Amino acid sequence: MGEELDISTFERKTAANVTLNSHLVPETTINMPPAVSAMILNNLLSNAVRFTQQGHIDVSVSTNTIRIVDTGVEYSTQTESEHGLGLLIVERLCNGYGWSVSIGDNPHRTGCLVELTR
């Protein structure tokens, strides 16, 4: 993942009252090429930004877990199709590198939780 997790592009796209936080665990190594991990983060963050109008989006990355939690719209069968192709791409890329994808509601308040685990 490199030395830093660059989310500056997404900070400019968030609603005015949304805070975007990132945490990259020191010495994190991911078993996929940088272009693949960037595509995965791009798809996941694009969805989080699109569905979060207030509150926060938290991104954390470690060697075995990538987690995005937001305070936007809960993930449900009604919003599943709106997340669409991006999540399908994420799932296929992750599966190819031995990662599993879990998508559900934010356990602490309204919003969504996406967790990739290796």
Side-chain angles (χ1 to χ4, degrees):
M1 293 283 328
E3 293 294 315
E4 245 177 71
L5 176 59
D6 183 15
I7 59 170
S8 58
T9 301
F10 295 98
E11 288 173 334
R12 292 188 295 272
K13 295 178 182 179
T14 60
N17 53 348
V18 175
T19 303
L20 185 54
N21 305 303
S22 68
H23 176 68
L24 177 62
V25 174
E27 300 184 31
T28 291
T29 57
I30 301 290
N31 69 329
M32 56 184 85
V36 173
S37 59
M39 184 181 298
I40 288 170
L41 282 173
N42 180 55
N43 285 331
L44 295 176
L45 282 170
S46 292
N47 278 337
V49 166
R50 186 165 41 131
F51 289 102
T52 305
Q53 297 304 309
Q54 63 181 359
H56 57 86
I57 300 168
D58 297 324
V59 182
S60 60
V61 179
S62 67
T63 298
N64 295 312
T65 306
I66 298 172
R67 182 180 176 131
I68 298 177
V69 182
D70 65 56
T71 57
V73 177
E74 292 178 340
Y75 185 78
S76 70
T77 55
Q78 292 174 332
T79 60
E80 183 176 16
S81 63
E82 294 179 49
H83 289 275
L85 186 58
L87 287 181
L88 181 62
I89 291 169
V90 166
E91 288 176 342
R92 288 192 177 169
L93 288 171
C94 285
N95 289 337
Y97 288 93
W99 289 70
S100 62
V101 178
S102 171
I103 304 167
D105 294 336
N106 180 339
H108 304 291
R109 58 188 288 188
T110 300
C112 188
L113 164 65
V114 178
E115 193 166 52
L116 314 178
T117 54
R118 178 168 64 160

